Every structure is written in C-alpha cells, then in structure tokens.
Amino acid sequence: MKAKMMMVAMMVLLSLPSVYVQAKGAISPIFLEQSKDRVYDVVEVMPKFKNGMQDLMKYLCENVRYPEEAQKKKIQGTVTIQFIIGKDGSVSNVKVAQAVHPVLDAEAMRVIKSMGKWTPGTMKGKPVRVSYHIPIRFRLK
C-alpha cells in the first residue's frame, strides 16, 4: 500500500509543470527569458476578432470556399486549425491540428492566414501571445 502511494505521489510530482527558482524564491534569468515569448492557452482577457465571435463566424462563412475537388469526391469533415495571436494581434504559426484531407486542410489554412489582426489577449493588462484553435466544418448537403 505504501509503495502504491509513493508511486502515485511520484506520478503527480512528475506531471507538475517545471518552475525554475533560485534560492530565496528569486526567479532565474532562464525562466524570465523563456516567459517573455511564452504562448498562453488561457489568459485573463482572451483575443477577440474585430467585434467578437459573430464577426469571426461571419468572416469564416464569407471566405471559406468548399474546394471543387472535395465536392466531387464527397469529402467532408472538420479541420481544426491552430495558430498564435501575437502581442500585436497578428496571426502566425498557422498549422493543422486535426486534418481531414489535404485540399480541405489547405483551404482552412488559407482562410485563417488571410484574417486581419485581432485584438490581442492580455495578462495583467499587458498583451501576450495566445494559442487559438478554430474548427472549420466542411459538410455537403
């Protein structure tokens, strides 16, 4: 029983995020350097596309084109695109997080790459880089 509890405790400790500290609780220069360009998943104020989610949905509806090849082959599915919204609101590091088919993946990436700037996310009132995921559904009627 004691060995099992130790194993669980070790697994919990190994799964905790690493924190670099020096004596007396001072944060090391290595940690500070890494945190400058940190990419957050969740922030106090999340990034916003123009006036919000409605504008994002409108943009996607107006700009996503179902590729003719995918229509002919009856290819359907949801492509999830991951990207980073920078401190200046720019979109970068666009990649497919969940693929369906190369032609659908390429169309989803094209649309995300052509978006304009967002209002950046913030932590403690300062703009930060935020990772964002958008699912784009391709469905034939």
Side-chain angles (χ1 to χ4, degrees):
M1 180 71 167
K2 202 172 195 179
K4 192 174 184 181
M5 286 178 60
M6 290 269 297
M7 186 66 136
V8 170
M10 285 177 57
M11 288 172 44
V12 169
L13 286 174
L14 291 173
S15 66
L16 294 174
S18 299
V19 178
Y20 299 96
V21 291
Q22 290 178 337
K24 300 180 185 175
I27 298 174
S28 76
I30 294 169
F31 182 77
L32 286 175
E33 190 175 309
Q34 290 173 345
S35 65
K36 284 179 187 176
D37 289 329
R38 178 178 175 188
V39 178
Y40 293 84
D41 290 319
V42 178
V43 291
E44 293 169 348
V45 178
M46 289 299 286
K48 185 170 75 169
F49 182 77
K50 297 187 181 183
N51 292 318
M53 196 55 75
Q54 275 189 317
D55 279 351
L56 178 58
M57 293 301 121
K58 182 180 176 187
Y59 170 81
L60 293 173
C61 288
E62 290 175 353
N63 291 282
V64 173
R65 301 288 174 248
Y66 210 121
E68 196 174 311
E69 178 185 343
Q71 288 180 42
K72 287 178 183 176
K73 293 181 179 180
K74 300 186 186 319
I75 302 168
Q76 303 182 82
T78 302
V79 178
T80 302
I81 300 294
Q82 177 183 355
F83 55 97
I84 294 174
I85 300 165
K87 293 177 182 180
D88 64 351
S90 62
V91 174
S92 65
N93 296 63
V94 180
K95 62 183 176 184
V96 176
Q98 180 180 348
V100 173
H101 186 277
V103 295
L104 295 182
D105 301 345
E107 175 60 11
M109 285 186 63
R110 179 195 67 79
V111 171
I112 298 302
K113 285 179 178 179
S114 67
M115 285 195 292
K117 287 194 175 189
W118 290 50
T119 301
T122 60
M123 285 292 283
K124 298 180 183 177
K126 295 184 179 182
V128 293
R129 299 172 71 211
V130 180
S131 178
Y132 210 89
H133 290 75
I134 292 183
I136 300 176
R137 188 173 186 190
F138 292 89
R139 184 177 66 178
L140 295 169
K141 294 184 180 185

